[in-house]
Amino acid sequence: MKSFCFLAICATLCLTGCLSTEIARSEVSGVEYIYGSDCCWKLFNCIPVFTQDISQDRVQKEMAAAAAKRGKTVSGIVSHNYENVLFEIPLIISIPIPYLFCYHEIQLSGTLQ
């Protein structure tokens, strides 16, 4: 029973979505860059699992809030969307059934001014 609970907790932590932002300063030019990402798993590519659906607006709002805390604004935003329709955790598990569990990730980056 303990091993089942441990596996259930590990699976939950691996499958939950995350919204995060990071700010870094270039050592060469001194320019501050901001990076934001959000990811989630979807069942049958339409039902979010353990988290809400992700969107670029949600990531942009989080990046704008992080920039506002520093008294700056975000400019030159570049986006990257990543989707994987096969459930695969590298070196651990791979289920070759498309659209069973799908991974979606949105990444945005820009400069702070």
Side-chain angles (χ1 to χ4, degrees):
M1 182 66 176
K2 289 181 183 179
S3 62
F4 175 75
C5 290
F6 177 74
L7 289 175
I9 291 171
C10 288
T12 301
L13 292 175
C14 289
L15 295 176
T16 55
C18 59
L19 174 62
S20 64
T21 58
E22 297 177 24
I23 297 175
R25 180 182 297 274
S26 170
E27 293 179 7
V28 176
S29 64
V31 175
E32 286 185 306
Y33 296 96
I34 187 165
Y35 167 81
S37 69
D38 197 5
C39 60
C40 76
W41 290 91
K42 291 184 180 180
L43 183 64
F44 306 116
N45 204 26
C46 62
I47 303 168
V49 179
F50 299 116
T51 186
Q52 62 185 1
D53 202 10
I54 62 174
S55 68
Q56 285 191 353
D57 291 339
R58 183 175 166 208
V59 179
Q60 281 182 321
K61 287 178 186 176
E62 187 68 25
M63 288 173 60
K69 287 181 183 176
R70 296 178 152 235
K72 299 189 177 191
T73 60
V74 181
S75 65
I77 295 176
V78 178
S79 69
H80 175 73
N81 296 336
Y82 174 75
E83 296 185 4
N84 189 1
V85 297
L86 296 177
F87 181 65
E88 181 176 0
I89 300 173
L91 303 175
I92 298 174
I93 188 171
S94 177
I95 301 174
I97 302 171
Y99 298 104
L100 180 61
F101 285 104
C102 303
Y103 180 75
H104 298 270
E105 183 174 7
I106 295 173
Q107 300 173 350
L108 298 176
S109 61
T111 57
L112 293 179
Q113 293 184 347

